[in-house]
Amino acid sequence: MAQTIAPHSLPMTLIGLMMIIFGFFGFLGGCIIFNGGETGWTTIYNNPTNLSAFAFNTLMGFAGGVLGCYMASRDPFWTMSGGLVGIISVAAGLDLYDPELAFIIAVVTGIMAVKVAKIVENFGIDDAVGAVAVHGFTGVWAVFLVGVFAYGMPNVGDLPPISFVGQTIGAIVMAAVGFIPGYAISWVLKKANALRVPKAAEELGLDEVEIIAKPYPEANGVPAITSSDVPNKLANPEPGV
């Protein structure tokens, strides 16, 4: 059964997530270019836009994602991770969405991401930070949504207008390019017995093996083999389970 390892510093965990979220404002803002003159701001594809659209829709994505993940989990880690979920969910359409739409998309995707993380865990996949749900599912979902909400809008240059079929093909291609090589490399590492740590280290906990200092000085037992009594976690929804 999956075991929840409670963070030994929840404030530091949340600060780390906030640093990533703060960085997204710069990362996404760096995806537009000021060309000066009458051209002004453009995307990297030379489509007209403005800095406020990127900044404000990023903020709306953050706010909506936090709210959605909070409603779905009531968990501090997932609540703050919701900021990432929300931003990623609207990133593909930052220059196209109205702020109200960006907020709604982020709220709904935040709720869905928590459910996806639970499904992944039920399959026995160890995704300690919810990356499959936060980045994988949300990223693909965001590309699909552009085909829904920006259908018919002009595309880059002489290319056909935005369509759901085009966005779906793009999402499939990107998912395949990311998943297939990664899976192949992981399969080779598994066959070479280089993917997993020894079973004894798994049972003891990597913190106990890799860190000389005691990482959980307040714990009476070994975190990796002790059920968490922290409620509202995905793996152990009830204390003592």
Side-chain angles (χ1 to χ4, degrees):
M1 184 184 69
Q3 300 290 340
T4 296
I5 301 178
H8 32 250
S9 177
L10 187 58
M12 291 301 294
T13 301
L14 300 185
I15 289 172
L17 286 166
M18 277 301 302
M19 292 174 68
I20 298 174
I21 292 167
F22 180 77
F24 257 92
F25 281 88
F27 167 69
L28 294 174
C31 292
I32 60 177
I33 304 168
F34 184 69
N35 295 282
E38 296 181 359
T39 304
W41 292 97
T42 65
T43 68
I44 57 177
Y45 302 108
N46 207 37
N47 285 343
T49 186
N50 57 74
L51 183 60
S52 62
F54 267 65
F56 196 68
N57 277 342
T58 298
L59 180 62
M60 289 296 96
F62 164 72
V66 166
L67 182 60
C69 280
Y70 173 76
M71 290 190 297
S73 71
R74 298 297 195 273
D75 176 66
F77 173 81
W78 269 102
T79 298
M80 194 56 66
S81 293
L84 293 178
V85 172
I87 291 172
I88 295 170
S89 71
V90 301
L94 282 176
D95 58 325
L96 305 173
Y97 295 151
D98 288 334
E100 299 92 336
L101 177 60
F103 180 78
I104 293 171
I105 288 174
V107 172
V108 174
T109 306
I111 296 172
M112 295 173 65
V114 174
K115 305 302 182 183
V116 169
K118 181 62 177 177
I119 292 172
V120 169
E121 195 170 78
N122 287 340
F123 274 102
I125 299 174
D126 184 11
D127 185 13
V129 296
V132 172
V134 174
H135 296 277
F137 160 74
T138 304
V140 172
W141 177 244
V143 176
F144 282 139
L145 291 183
V146 172
V148 175
F149 295 111
Y151 182 88
M153 296 190 70
N155 209 326
V156 180
D158 297 327
L159 294 177
I162 296 173
S163 68
F164 181 74
V165 173
Q167 291 298 116
T168 300
I169 293 173
I172 293 173
V173 170
M174 286 187 286
V177 170
F179 178 78
I180 294 176
Y183 186 88
I185 293 172
S186 298
W187 185 84
V188 171
L189 291 173
K190 181 179 179 180
K191 292 299 181 182
N193 200 29
L195 186 61
R196 300 185 70 101
V197 298
K199 184 174 179 58
E202 288 183 351
E203 293 179 351
L204 185 62
L206 283 179
D207 280 351
E208 298 286 333
V209 176
E210 296 183 349
I211 303 175
I212 297 176
K214 183 71 174 177
Y216 295 87
E218 71 284 358
N220 295 322
V222 180
I225 59 174
T226 302
S227 296
S228 172
D229 59 356
V230 179
N232 299 321
K233 293 289 185 179
L234 294 179
N236 295 318
E238 299 294 337
V241 175

